[in-house]
Short mmCIF file of all heavy atoms in Angstrom, two decimals:
data_model
loop_
_atom_site.label_atom_id
_atom_site.label_comp_id
_atom_site.label_asym_id
_atom_site.label_seq_id
_atom_site.Cartn_x
_atom_site.Cartn_y
_atom_site.Cartn_z
N LYS A 241 -22.14 -1.38 -8.64
CA LYS A 241 -20.82 -1.76 -9.13
C LYS A 241 -20.15 -0.61 -9.88
O LYS A 241 -18.97 -0.35 -9.73
CB LYS A 241 -20.90 -3.01 -9.98
CG LYS A 241 -21.43 -4.24 -9.23
CD LYS A 241 -21.78 -5.37 -10.16
CE LYS A 241 -22.49 -6.48 -9.44
NZ LYS A 241 -22.91 -7.60 -10.34
N MET A 242 -20.95 0.05 -10.75
CA MET A 242 -20.39 1.15 -11.52
C MET A 242 -20.00 2.31 -10.64
O MET A 242 -18.97 2.97 -10.85
CB MET A 242 -21.42 1.57 -12.57
CG MET A 242 -20.80 2.40 -13.70
SD MET A 242 -19.64 1.43 -14.73
CE MET A 242 -18.22 2.48 -14.69
N GLN A 243 -20.82 2.57 -9.65
CA GLN A 243 -20.52 3.67 -8.72
C GLN A 243 -19.25 3.34 -7.94
O GLN A 243 -18.44 4.24 -7.64
CB GLN A 243 -21.71 3.88 -7.77
CG GLN A 243 -21.55 5.11 -6.88
CD GLN A 243 -22.81 5.38 -6.05
OE1 GLN A 243 -23.52 4.46 -5.68
NE2 GLN A 243 -23.12 6.63 -5.82
N ALA A 244 -19.07 2.07 -7.56
CA ALA A 244 -17.87 1.66 -6.84
C ALA A 244 -16.63 1.89 -7.69
O ALA A 244 -15.59 2.34 -7.17
CB ALA A 244 -17.98 0.18 -6.46
N VAL A 245 -16.70 1.62 -8.96
CA VAL A 245 -15.57 1.83 -9.86
C VAL A 245 -15.18 3.33 -9.87
O VAL A 245 -14.00 3.66 -9.77
CB VAL A 245 -15.90 1.39 -11.32
CG1 VAL A 245 -14.82 1.82 -12.28
CG2 VAL A 245 -16.10 -0.13 -11.37
N GLN A 246 -16.18 4.17 -9.92
CA GLN A 246 -15.92 5.62 -9.97
C GLN A 246 -15.35 6.14 -8.66
O GLN A 246 -14.62 7.13 -8.65
CB GLN A 246 -17.22 6.35 -10.33
CG GLN A 246 -17.74 6.02 -11.71
CD GLN A 246 -19.08 6.66 -12.02
OE1 GLN A 246 -19.67 7.32 -11.16
NE2 GLN A 246 -19.56 6.53 -13.26
N GLN A 247 -15.61 5.44 -7.57
CA GLN A 247 -15.14 5.92 -6.27
C GLN A 247 -13.84 5.29 -5.85
O GLN A 247 -13.24 5.71 -4.84
CB GLN A 247 -16.23 5.64 -5.21
CG GLN A 247 -17.51 6.45 -5.41
CD GLN A 247 -18.62 6.04 -4.42
OE1 GLN A 247 -18.52 5.04 -3.75
NE2 GLN A 247 -19.66 6.87 -4.35
N LEU A 248 -13.40 4.27 -6.56
CA LEU A 248 -12.18 3.54 -6.17
C LEU A 248 -10.92 4.41 -6.38
O LEU A 248 -10.61 4.72 -7.52
CB LEU A 248 -12.09 2.24 -6.97
CG LEU A 248 -11.33 1.07 -6.35
CD1 LEU A 248 -11.96 0.68 -5.03
CD2 LEU A 248 -11.32 -0.10 -7.29
N THR A 249 -10.23 4.77 -5.31
CA THR A 249 -9.07 5.61 -5.41
C THR A 249 -8.16 5.42 -4.21
O THR A 249 -8.61 5.03 -3.13
CB THR A 249 -9.48 7.10 -5.51
OG1 THR A 249 -8.29 7.91 -5.57
CG2 THR A 249 -10.29 7.50 -4.29
N ASP A 250 -6.87 5.71 -4.43
CA ASP A 250 -5.91 5.61 -3.31
C ASP A 250 -5.77 6.94 -2.57
O ASP A 250 -5.07 7.01 -1.55
CB ASP A 250 -4.53 5.19 -3.83
CG ASP A 250 -3.96 6.19 -4.82
OD1 ASP A 250 -4.71 7.00 -5.37
OD2 ASP A 250 -2.72 6.15 -5.04
N LYS A 251 -6.44 7.99 -3.04
CA LYS A 251 -6.33 9.30 -2.41
C LYS A 251 -7.02 9.24 -1.03
O LYS A 251 -8.21 8.95 -0.94
CB LYS A 251 -6.95 10.36 -3.28
CG LYS A 251 -6.19 10.59 -4.57
CD LYS A 251 -6.84 11.66 -5.42
CE LYS A 251 -6.08 11.89 -6.70
NZ LYS A 251 -6.70 12.91 -7.59
N GLN A 252 -6.20 9.54 0.00
CA GLN A 252 -6.71 9.54 1.39
C GLN A 252 -7.37 8.23 1.74
O GLN A 252 -8.36 8.18 2.49
CB GLN A 252 -7.69 10.72 1.63
CG GLN A 252 -7.02 12.09 1.43
CD GLN A 252 -7.98 13.24 1.66
OE1 GLN A 252 -9.20 13.11 1.52
NE2 GLN A 252 -7.45 14.36 2.05
N TYR A 253 -6.84 7.12 1.19
CA TYR A 253 -7.44 5.82 1.46
C TYR A 253 -7.21 5.38 2.89
O TYR A 253 -6.08 5.44 3.39
CB TYR A 253 -6.85 4.76 0.49
CG TYR A 253 -7.28 3.34 0.83
CD1 TYR A 253 -8.63 2.97 0.80
CD2 TYR A 253 -6.32 2.39 1.18
CE1 TYR A 253 -9.00 1.68 1.12
CE2 TYR A 253 -6.71 1.10 1.50
CZ TYR A 253 -8.04 0.77 1.46
OH TYR A 253 -8.43 -0.52 1.76
N HIS A 254 -8.28 4.98 3.54
CA HIS A 254 -8.20 4.49 4.91
C HIS A 254 -9.06 3.21 5.03
O HIS A 254 -10.29 3.31 4.90
CB HIS A 254 -8.67 5.53 5.90
CG HIS A 254 -8.52 5.13 7.31
ND1 HIS A 254 -7.30 5.11 7.96
CD2 HIS A 254 -9.45 4.75 8.26
CE1 HIS A 254 -7.49 4.71 9.22
NE2 HIS A 254 -8.77 4.48 9.41
N ALA A 255 -8.42 2.09 5.21
CA ALA A 255 -9.16 0.81 5.29
C ALA A 255 -9.96 0.73 6.57
O ALA A 255 -9.52 1.14 7.64
CB ALA A 255 -8.17 -0.35 5.21
N GLN A 256 -11.16 0.19 6.49
CA GLN A 256 -11.98 -0.03 7.66
C GLN A 256 -11.55 -1.33 8.35
O GLN A 256 -10.94 -2.21 7.73
CB GLN A 256 -13.45 -0.10 7.27
CG GLN A 256 -14.03 1.19 6.74
CD GLN A 256 -15.53 1.13 6.61
OE1 GLN A 256 -16.23 0.99 7.63
NE2 GLN A 256 -16.05 1.28 5.42
N PRO A 257 -11.84 -1.47 9.65
CA PRO A 257 -11.48 -2.71 10.35
C PRO A 257 -12.14 -3.93 9.68
O PRO A 257 -13.22 -3.82 9.04
CB PRO A 257 -12.05 -2.50 11.75
CG PRO A 257 -12.17 -1.03 11.89
CD PRO A 257 -12.47 -0.49 10.54
N LEU A 258 -11.54 -5.07 9.86
CA LEU A 258 -12.06 -6.33 9.31
C LEU A 258 -13.10 -6.89 10.25
O LEU A 258 -13.07 -6.69 11.45
CB LEU A 258 -10.91 -7.31 9.14
CG LEU A 258 -9.71 -6.79 8.35
CD1 LEU A 258 -8.48 -7.61 8.64
CD2 LEU A 258 -9.98 -6.79 6.86
N ARG A 259 -14.03 -7.66 9.68
CA ARG A 259 -15.03 -8.35 10.53
C ARG A 259 -14.53 -9.75 10.77
O ARG A 259 -14.35 -10.59 9.84
CB ARG A 259 -16.39 -8.39 9.81
CG ARG A 259 -17.49 -9.07 10.65
CD ARG A 259 -18.87 -8.80 10.08
NE ARG A 259 -19.11 -9.50 8.85
CZ ARG A 259 -19.66 -10.73 8.76
NH1 ARG A 259 -20.01 -11.34 9.85
NH2 ARG A 259 -19.85 -11.28 7.59
N ARG A 260 -14.24 -10.09 12.03
CA ARG A 260 -13.64 -11.38 12.37
C ARG A 260 -14.74 -12.41 12.70
O ARG A 260 -15.65 -12.16 13.48
CB ARG A 260 -12.73 -11.20 13.62
CG ARG A 260 -12.18 -12.48 14.21
CD ARG A 260 -11.27 -13.23 13.23
NE ARG A 260 -10.11 -12.50 12.84
CZ ARG A 260 -8.96 -12.50 13.53
NH1 ARG A 260 -8.86 -13.20 14.66
NH2 ARG A 260 -7.91 -11.82 13.07
N ILE A 261 -14.60 -13.57 12.03
CA ILE A 261 -15.45 -14.72 12.34
C ILE A 261 -14.52 -15.94 12.50
O ILE A 261 -13.35 -15.89 12.09
CB ILE A 261 -16.51 -15.00 11.24
CG1 ILE A 261 -15.81 -15.29 9.89
CG2 ILE A 261 -17.47 -13.84 11.10
CD1 ILE A 261 -16.77 -15.77 8.81
N TYR A 262 -15.05 -16.99 13.09
CA TYR A 262 -14.22 -18.18 13.28
C TYR A 262 -14.98 -19.37 12.68
O TYR A 262 -16.16 -19.57 12.91
CB TYR A 262 -13.96 -18.45 14.77
CG TYR A 262 -13.02 -17.44 15.38
CD1 TYR A 262 -13.50 -16.23 15.90
CD2 TYR A 262 -11.66 -17.68 15.42
CE1 TYR A 262 -12.63 -15.28 16.45
CE2 TYR A 262 -10.77 -16.74 15.99
CZ TYR A 262 -11.29 -15.57 16.49
OH TYR A 262 -10.40 -14.62 17.03
N ILE A 263 -14.26 -20.15 11.85
CA ILE A 263 -14.88 -21.30 11.21
C ILE A 263 -14.12 -22.57 11.62
O ILE A 263 -12.92 -22.53 11.91
CB ILE A 263 -14.87 -21.20 9.67
CG1 ILE A 263 -13.44 -21.11 9.12
CG2 ILE A 263 -15.69 -19.97 9.22
CD1 ILE A 263 -13.34 -21.14 7.61
N PRO A 264 -14.80 -23.71 11.75
CA PRO A 264 -14.15 -24.94 12.17
C PRO A 264 -13.09 -25.41 11.18
O PRO A 264 -13.26 -25.28 9.98
CB PRO A 264 -15.31 -25.99 12.23
CG PRO A 264 -16.56 -25.14 12.27
CD PRO A 264 -16.25 -23.91 11.51
N LYS A 265 -12.01 -25.97 11.70
CA LYS A 265 -10.99 -26.60 10.87
C LYS A 265 -11.38 -28.07 10.68
O LYS A 265 -11.69 -28.77 11.65
CB LYS A 265 -9.60 -26.50 11.53
CG LYS A 265 -9.01 -25.11 11.56
CD LYS A 265 -7.60 -25.15 12.11
CE LYS A 265 -6.97 -23.78 12.13
NZ LYS A 265 -5.57 -23.82 12.67
#
């Protein structure tokens, strides 16, 4: 968690694809 805080930045930010699942309604 602490390492994630230190790495969290908007510089050259590129989101990874989402993992799609389907749940019953």
Side-chain angles (χ1 to χ4, degrees):
K241 298 168 188 178
M242 197 67 232
Q243 188 174 33
V245 172
Q246 295 176 355
Q247 294 175 347
L248 207 59
T249 178
D250 63 341
K251 293 180 180 179
Q252 298 181 334
Y253 171 62
H254 184 74
Q256 293 192 62
L258 308 159
R259 182 166 72 90
R260 172 63 62 86
I261 61 173
Y262 291 87
I263 61 173
K265 290 185 178 180

